[in-house]
Amino acid sequence: MPPASSSGPPPAPPPGGPPKAIATPCIKVCVVDGESGLCMGCYRQLSEVAGWARLSDDERAAIMADLPTRRSRIRPEKLAMFG
């Protein structure tokens, strides 16, 4: 008796292909400023970092549009540590 073989078709790829990439301001400098509560790399609050993948594209875009103004909430001498 010949050995059993799997001669069926290969498994189908998942429907819809790979997930869409999520835009993020993360620069891999994850240090939280105790005074402002903001990440000193991307200027997001910890709650925003933690929930980023669950936010809608519009919610993420609104936060990202606000990030440049948040930098002023961190003392310059602290930011100088990161160049």
Side-chain angles (χ1 to χ4, degrees):
M1 177 178 217
S5 68
S6 62
S7 60
K20 183 177 95 172
I22 295 175
T24 178
C26 182
I27 61 167
K28 309 288 191 249
V29 175
C30 303
V31 177
V32 177
D33 173 49
E35 292 175 326
S36 68
L38 298 176
C39 172
M40 292 174 46
C42 67
Y43 312 122
R44 291 180 291 173
Q45 299 170 5
L46 286 180
S47 60
E48 293 168 339
V49 173
W52 197 249
R54 292 185 299 278
L55 297 175
S56 70
D57 288 344
D58 288 342
E59 290 169 318
R60 285 191 293 271
I63 291 169
M64 289 178 71
D66 188 46
L67 296 179
T69 64
R70 295 182 184 188
R71 182 184 169 124
S72 65
R73 293 169 41 191
I74 301 173
R75 287 191 287 143
E77 61 270 20
K78 290 182 177 181
L79 291 172
M81 295 186 307
F82 300 100

